[in-house]
Amino acid sequence: MTTKIVADDSGGRASRLYRQGNEWFCSTSLKSDIAIEVEGTLFHLHKFPLISKCGKIARIINGLQDAKDDVHTLLNGCPAGSDGFLIAARFCYENKVMLKPENILLVYLVADFLEMTEEYSEDNLLMQAESFIHKVILRSWNDCISALQNSQNCILEAENLAIVQKCLNAVSQMACLDPSLVRKPTMYGSLQSPGGSILWNGINTGARINSSLSDWWFEDISFLSFPMFKKFIETINMRGIRSLNLSGALMFYAMKHLPGLDRWQNRQGARRVGSLSIDSAAVDQKILIESIVELLPENKGKSYCRFLLGLLRLAMILGVDWSYRESLERKIGMQLELVTLDGLFIPNFSDSDHLYDTDCIERIIRNFLSFHSLKATPFSASSSYPVIPRSSTISDNATKLIDDYLAEVAPDVNLKPQKMQSLLEVFPEYLRKLDDGIYRALDIYFKEHPQLEENEREKLCRVINFSKLSTDACIHASQNESLPLRAVLQVLFFEQQQLRSTLSKLNLITENENNMTANANEIAGEFMQREGWVSVARENQYLRVDMERMQSKVTELENHFMIIKKYMGRFSRRSISR
């Protein structure tokens, strides 16, 4: 078997340690008197170099004094396994290890595990590693991030390490600062002055590099393993960072590591500090979603809302626990007025035949009403309708969104009348200034479901307040053959009432000429809403035609009834005579 000599980290002289197969040896004239097995790898070493620097090895050997001179011991739990122990072994024989950001936390972990403290040797490995961290790592964003990224091979041991928390404190503090004060310039290099201005031939041009972006650290942090990333988020949150930046970092991380959320484009100009990344396939997507949901702040915004809806869809696909989906629905409901229509088209992942998950949208609407206190609105003293809340703009936007959603889901042939009615009733009627939206949705629903019974149509039409239909909607409804007869009569009734009210006011103007000027503006405004005199005459004509048509139908029904009654009388007399 050939002997492989492994060079030390510094690239200098050959190391005293070399490898043969799965065993390590020391190239000295002294015979090995201790064999340490670490995860199946054997290290044939000497007691004295080890016990002079490693407290843990010294205690193990002291506990085996009655045994034979050649000791064979098993070392469990060493960070990074045989690779980690090799670092300590080289230090014990050569008294040096090349410290750098990529290995510093591993070196610290190994030294801490083997108890390589000043108690056993002056300037021991643990002291050297700790000094390097404080003097070099904690002062540089790049070095700090690189150290945290490369600690994920020993993440379980590193999570609760005090020095790791110091690194997290350092990067969280730097993330809250101006990036020009934290990172070395990458775009302009030496052409940047210490004050941040751009230099040309050594002359300060006065132009400054744009370093005001608060999201400059998002991509660097996204390379961390999730346990480390979570600790960073918790640390930076304790520093009082803005919820907008917090949610932005979580969105960036989730879109990078959760397949299906990659429709958002990456930010331009983002930089990568390290090449180490997480394989998304190796991450439990379900646990990752649940953990991200726990970290999400109570934030509002259009992009944030789109992200929440995307996360909700993915949570439904993966079967995430109900409590986490409920939390997402609540956060979406808080900002329903910011949702776009396509965002509400959540496919149905259950066994139902419905095309969309309408139950989820109902819950989101209820959360919206609860958050904006629109459910239990006090009644006014002079009206039987509740007072419209101050957030009328919010409710108007939400009303339009919901009405548009109803019109989009109405053509679903599998949407049952009970579910359609539930969708129509979930949003309070008093928040709608006009009922044109739900009338349009019902019109579409009736045309796509011609098999509906008359009583089912009548039940659905009870949701509409016909007195709140616009003129155009009334004209359309009065001629709509899809509507049940009772609904058409209600439309005609309210239209007739409005016409009578308008004409009575016109008569008052004629009778009271002295107040004509005072009332002219009011009546003129009302006529403008009713599309003027021509519109009134046209509506009157429509009403007259419809009433005549209805009267003809009633007369026809009465004639049929009389014929049936006459036949019934004849039949009963024949029965009696027999």
Side-chain angles (χ1 to χ4, degrees), residues 406 419-428 432 438 441-442 460 463:
L406 290 173
K419 175 51 62 179
M420 185 63 181
Q421 184 170 3
S422 179
L423 286 171
L424 291 167
E425 292 177 345
V426 68
F427 201 73
R432 286 188 169 93
I438 54 175
L442 271 180
L460 287 171
V463 181

Side-chain angles (χ1 to χ4, degrees), residues 16-211:
R16 296 182 183 180
L17 298 176
Y18 64 92
R19 184 173 185 171
Q20 289 183 341
N22 203 33
E23 299 181 16
W24 285 86
F25 298 88
C26 182
S27 59
T28 63
S29 58
L30 298 176
K31 180 185 176 182
S32 170
D33 55 5
I34 183 171
I36 299 178
E37 184 177 349
V38 184
E39 293 185 351
T41 301
L42 274 176
F43 290 83
H44 300 276
L45 305 174
H46 304 85
K47 294 178 183 177
F48 179 75
L50 296 178
I51 63 176
S52 64
K53 289 183 172 63
C54 302
K56 192 177 189 70
I57 302 295
R59 284 191 291 103
I60 291 174
I61 294 175
N62 290 336
L64 299 173
Q65 285 181 350
D66 297 334
K68 58 184 179 180
D69 293 339
D70 292 339
V71 176
H72 184 288
T73 184
L74 184 65
L75 187 63
N76 293 320
C78 184
S82 59
D83 292 336
F85 183 76
L86 180 60
I87 294 173
R90 283 178 172 170
F91 181 80
C92 291
Y93 280 91
E94 302 166 7
N95 202 30
K96 67 176 181 178
V97 170
M98 179 63 70
L99 299 178
K100 48 188 176 182
E102 290 75 19
N103 72 350
I104 185 59
L105 287 182
L106 176 58
V107 171
Y108 186 93
L109 282 169
V110 171
D112 182 68
F113 173 77
L114 294 175
E115 301 172 24
M116 303 176 73
T117 63
E118 299 295 293
E119 180 182 350
Y120 296 92
S121 175
E122 186 178 353
D123 199 23
N124 211 343
L125 184 57
L126 185 63
M127 177 64 73
Q128 288 188 27
E130 190 168 357
S131 176
F132 183 80
I133 289 173
H134 282 91
K135 292 181 179 179
V136 178
I137 301 298
L138 297 182
R139 297 184 179 185
S140 166
W141 168 270
N142 290 352
D143 291 343
C144 230
I145 290 295
S146 183
L148 290 172
Q149 286 176 359
N150 286 275
S151 71
Q152 39 204 31
N153 291 332
C154 48
I155 186 62
L156 295 178
E157 297 88 349
E159 276 186 20
N160 300 317
L161 207 61
I163 201 69
V164 172
Q165 189 58 50
K166 287 184 179 180
C167 290
L168 290 170
N169 289 335
V171 292
S172 64
Q173 183 177 7
M174 285 185 266
C176 299
L177 299 176
D178 188 325
S180 64
L181 303 176
V182 178
R183 306 196 55 171
K184 295 178 181 179
T186 56
M187 180 183 296
Y188 298 97
S190 60
L191 299 181
Q192 183 180 0
S193 71
S197 300
I198 302 173
L199 301 179
W200 177 76
N201 289 340
I203 302 174
N204 190 338
T205 62
R208 298 185 62 84
I209 296 174
N210 182 13
S211 60

Side-chain angles (χ1 to χ4, degrees), residues 501-557:
S501 175
T502 303
L503 291 173
S504 64
K505 289 184 179 181
L506 181 63
N507 291 332
L508 286 176
I509 293 177
T510 305
E511 293 173 0
N512 191 358
E513 294 181 354
N514 295 331
N515 295 328
M516 183 180 296
T517 304
N519 293 332
N521 292 333
E522 179 183 355
I523 300 303
E526 192 164 339
F527 275 2
M528 287 179 65
Q529 294 180 357
R530 304 299 302 167
E531 297 183 359
W533 286 99
V534 176
S535 178
V536 172
R538 183 182 61 185
E539 291 175 19
N540 194 15
Q541 184 179 3
Y542 281 134
L543 283 173
R544 187 172 302 164
V545 172
D546 288 330
M547 289 300 290
E548 289 176 357
R549 185 175 61 186
M550 293 302 301
Q551 188 174 0
S552 175
K553 287 184 179 180
V554 171
T555 303
E556 185 179 350
L557 288 172

